Amino acid sequence: MPKTKTWAVHLLTASGAGFALLAALAVARGAWVETFIWLGAALFVDGVDGPLARGVRVGERVPWFDGAILDMVIDYTTYVFIPALILARSDLMPPTLATPAGILVAVIGALYFADTRMKTREYGFRGFPAVWNMVVFVLMVFAPPPLFSALVIIALAALTFSPVEFVHPVRVTRLRPLTLAVTLAWAIFSLLSVVAELQPNQFVLAGLGLTTIYLTFIGAALQATRFRTTP
């Protein structure tokens, strides 16, 4: 039974690959709402499989199978590659900008996943943590001018290997209750945006924008506070 539970957790993690394929097929059809439904399902799996794996102690039960590598493969696909594909195929930017932006995200994201220094002492992220699925989703909902979208992509790509910190909503302890609440609110506003076929009302847009701003900058704020208070 312990090994059955272990393989069930690994299978749950691997299901993200299936969701990634379904998202890619939706991208090919230009079905953006469906695309984000599948990416949302993959994001949910990624949020629950880690705690389950630690609870079951998968590394002890089947030591020859590396669940961390499996998780990284799935994460690259759903957090980086599919969003890069969305950038290249959607109307966020003209083709002259869209394809280079997609290539930039795919390449920078691949490099980031090989960086062993990505985690901080507080279990946050050093540099932008390659959550391109969330970035592309927000851009699709707000549909800003193409140049603005391109500048956002370039800025976040540049921040990937910077010393600026970004929060992990679960593992960073400082302000964790507030950050978890904001993360939940972001998820709710995102779900409402999907239900509205990526054209939500002003209230949802405001909520999604404010929660996105908090999650983007709270890590740097905590970093600056820590630097000021450290002797």
Side-chain angles (χ1 to χ4, degrees):
M1 286 301 295
K3 286 190 176 181
T4 300
K5 292 180 180 179
T6 297
W7 286 114
V9 173
H10 286 320
L11 182 60
L12 176 65
T13 301
S15 70
F19 291 132
L21 178 59
L22 291 170
L25 293 174
V27 170
R29 299 194 305 273
W32 305 119
V33 173
E34 182 184 343
T35 298
F36 288 113
I37 288 174
W38 296 126
L39 286 182
L43 186 62
F44 174 78
V45 168
D46 187 51
V48 301
D49 66 348
L52 288 174
R54 288 188 288 273
V56 176
R57 303 197 305 276
V58 294
E60 299 175 19
R61 305 296 185 185
V62 186
W64 54 268
F65 191 91
D66 197 329
I69 293 178
L70 174 63
D71 189 61
M72 292 284 273
V73 171
I74 305 301
D75 283 354
Y76 175 77
T77 306
T78 57
Y79 280 75
V80 178
F81 189 79
I82 299 299
L85 192 60
I86 295 170
L87 284 175
R89 293 296 300 271
S90 69
D91 295 327
L92 274 174
M93 292 174 276
T96 52
L97 291 175
T99 300
I103 292 172
L104 178 64
V105 167
V107 172
I108 292 295
L111 293 173
Y112 181 76
F113 271 78
D115 189 348
T116 59
R117 306 166 304 165
M118 66 169 67
K119 291 294 180 65
T120 69
R121 289 177 300 173
E122 293 187 340
Y123 300 102
F125 297 100
R126 182 176 292 106
F128 174 67
V131 286
W132 293 106
N133 50 349
M134 298 180 181
V135 173
V136 172
F137 174 75
V138 171
L139 290 176
M140 289 286 283
V141 171
F142 281 90
L147 182 58
F148 181 85
S149 295
L151 290 176
V152 167
I153 299 301
I154 293 170
L156 292 176
L159 285 171
T160 298
F161 300 104
S162 73
V164 177
E165 295 181 11
F166 290 77
V167 74
H168 189 299
V170 177
R171 303 200 68 185
V172 174
T173 57
R174 284 196 294 160
L175 295 184
R176 181 159 57 188
L178 175 60
T179 302
L180 285 173
V182 173
T183 303
L184 177 60
W186 187 93
I188 292 172
F189 288 125
S190 297
L191 180 59
L192 291 173
S193 298
V194 170
V195 171
E197 298 185 348
L198 306 184
Q199 295 181 335
N201 59 41
Q202 293 301 313
F203 172 77
V204 174
L205 280 175
L208 183 63
L210 290 173
T211 53
T212 297
I213 290 170
Y214 176 91
L215 294 173
T216 301
F217 293 105
I218 188 59
L222 292 175
Q223 178 185 18
T225 303
R226 184 180 69 241
F227 287 167
R228 287 199 301 268
T229 58
T230 299

